[in-house]
Amino acid sequence: MKTAQALTPNLVLLAQLLQRLDQSREAVDGAQYRLVATRLASELEQADHESVQTLLGLSPSAAELYENIQYAHAGLCRSPLDAALAAEAAARQAITTAQRVSRPMPGATP
């Protein structure tokens, strides 16, 4: 198995930069984010499978980007199923709650 040191410096640097942008508490310039994500996506396409898998295990932001790039072929292949199902259930509950709140009560005047 390859280690982080076996990864190309560009791949590691771009993944770290994307991670910092994702975790930033301050507003991030959209063009800058897009540029970093595009360059990282290009590097991921050129890297060997083992390096990509190693990097994805180290960088949640790179893993999410990779998943989005591969979505047409593999769907949400890197997302844990339990977390995805819990998120869907929470979204449905939030929608139901919002629908109840936005409906006027019977007999109430608008």
Side-chain angles (χ1 to χ4, degrees), residues 27-36:
V28 175
D29 179 61
Q32 179 186 18
Y33 188 92
R34 191 176 311 112
L35 178 63
V36 171

Side-chain angles (χ1 to χ4, degrees), residues 13-53:
L13 180 64
L14 288 166
Q16 290 173 340
L17 185 53
L18 185 66
Q19 193 72 35
R20 279 192 217 132
L21 290 172
D22 276 347
Q23 294 175 345
S24 175
R25 291 182 180 212
E26 301 197 14
V28 175
D29 179 61
Q32 179 186 18
Y33 188 92
R34 191 176 311 112
L35 178 63
V36 171
T38 301
R39 287 188 178 176
L40 178 55
S42 177
E43 290 286 329
L44 287 169
E45 287 177 10
Q46 297 173 20
D48 64 85
H49 180 74
E50 287 182 38
S51 294
V52 169
Q53 295 308 311

Side-chain angles (χ1 to χ4, degrees), residues 73-88:
H73 305 289
L76 299 174
C77 58
R78 297 193 58 84
S79 294
L81 186 56
D82 291 340
L85 290 173
E88 183 178 348

